[in-house]
Amino acid sequence: MTLEQRFVTEPPVSEPDRQHFYIARAGEYVREESNRLGRVLSATITTFGCQMNARDSEKLAGILRQIGFVDEPDEEKADFVIFNTCTVRENANMRVYGRLGQLNHIKRKQPHKMIALCGCMMQEPEVVEKLQKSYRFVDLIFGTHNIYKFAELFVKCKEAGRMTVDVWDEADKIVEELPNERKYPFKSGVNIMFGCNNFCSYCIVPYVRGRERSRNPRDILHEIERLVGDGVVEVMLLGQNVNSYGKTLDVPMSFAELLREVEKIEGLRRIRFMTSHPKDLSDDLIAVMADSKKICPHLHLPIQSGSTRILQKMNRRYTKEQYLDLVKRLRDAIPDISLTTDIIVGFPGETEEDFLETMDVVEKVRYDSAFTFQYSKRSKTPAAMMENQVEAAVVKDRFDRLLARVQEISAQACGRYEGKIKDVLVETVNDHDQSLVTGRMDNNLLVHFPGNETLVGKIVPVKLEECKGFYYMGNQES
Ligand code: 5AD
Ligand code: SF4
């Protein structure tokens, strides 16, 4: 196809063909601009938020690469700057506005610079309104449901020559077989489902990521097989609530059943997944984890609060006792399992007694690590309308007490492997000391030990000599 033919041909209606058409067309724009400037064009993506966003950014990076952009991490130098945003807590939004302010200064000096915003924050109409009013220098805005149309939107924006906004309320389909570019050659996230149906009362995710949709197991297994063929040894299966995987499929399949299939893939060494909702964690899943040679003995099991009264207001649908019982069943079946969690302090109506219930769970479970958050009021959520919002100073005080205890316990918990030999997947040469490499054990703990770049991507046995609080120093065993 010549350039002229490509420009007059109608885009195909079906996906992914339509996007491949637009990738080619976007490539022509990039080549033209490149010729004009006499240099290659560069782009950078800044990702805020969770693993799902990180995975979406890899998809954007894959499309950027095919269009012809090279990577330029420096926002000041890059011709195209993309922010993939998060809105789960208010401070994530504030950071985006702060960074946009800086970009505005840069764009004044470099008017050809293109700026795109996408991700969860764009699914909030008030945010888009504010951007349209006060941030006119942004070129392209799109949401979480049409990320697969990135190339098409890029072309639309170029042709319009002004701010282009396209945000959908709901997803129309799951589009497979689009390019993506992995951050690490040896490990990869794999989406197994999108969206969330749980409506925890504090959480904005169901409003910005839409209803729960599971990917077809065949597509997931093919993707993992392809990744393994390409050198990947570890996958992280991603979803807001992986334990309810498969419920909406034409032929329903449980998450435990999916894991059994993933386990069979030859050459795959490690399987991780996140996030698990305690209410949906089945005995079958515990059994699969206990039997598996590949599933890492690590579970991220957000508790959010230890008070049954608050859990009920949060719409979490489990009690403190049910959660503790689940932890007991997990530890009975998988004795050395590493447990991590998310905890929110200062949910509306939380009293000191409620908070002490949370502290009690922390004492009882002794998490390997815990992400602690101060409650953040998100518009549209039921909790935002609740009475008795807790005073900021009280939230801060509880947060500090919780964090101190969580850190003490995780330092002690981390130490329990001292002197043992563990398999470690080497990820990088150490940033600070080139004579060391850094890798992860199956329980996600970091280890630094003497080695060089030839070890990157390999799984090797390492003697854990000394625990340094949250990581180990070790030596490779021969
Ligand atoms: N305020 C504070 N933390 C929140 N999270 C989700 N919504 C809020 C909110 N409104 C936390 C939860 C969740 C994690 C990803 O973010 O702990 O598990
Ligand atoms: Fe938010 Fe709850 Fe869904 Fe997690 S399970 S994404 S906290 S609504």
Side-chain angles (χ1 to χ4, degrees), residues 416-424 441-442 460-465 475-478:
R416 70 181 183 274
Y417 303 101
E418 217 162 66
K420 294 198 171 141
I421 296 169
K422 279 270 203 184
D423 280 345
V424 172
M441 305 191 234
D442 56 6
V460 293
V462 175
K463 171 107 184 270
L464 305 170
E465 310 281 4
N475 277 305
Q476 189 177 350
E477 282 284 302
S478 42

Side-chain angles (χ1 to χ4, degrees), residues 196 198-200 202-203 205-206 240-241 277 304 316:
C196 182
N198 283 318
F199 290 94
C200 300
Y202 51 82
C203 186
V205 167
Q240 301 293 349
N241 178 18
H277 194 304
Q304 313 297 6
R316 291 290 289 176

Side-chain angles (χ1 to χ4, degrees), residues 88 195-207 209 212 239-241 275-277 279-280 302 304 314-317 342 344:
V88 89
C196 182
N197 284 354
N198 283 318
F199 290 94
C200 300
S201 64
Y202 51 82
C203 186
I204 201 166
V205 167
Y207 306 91
R209 287 263 171 191
E212 199 172 285
Q240 301 293 349
N241 178 18
T275 289
S276 291
H277 194 304
K279 82 173 163 59
D280 298 316
Q304 313 297 6
M314 286 178 162
N315 192 29
R316 291 290 289 176
R317 287 170 275 173
D342 292 342
I344 299 175

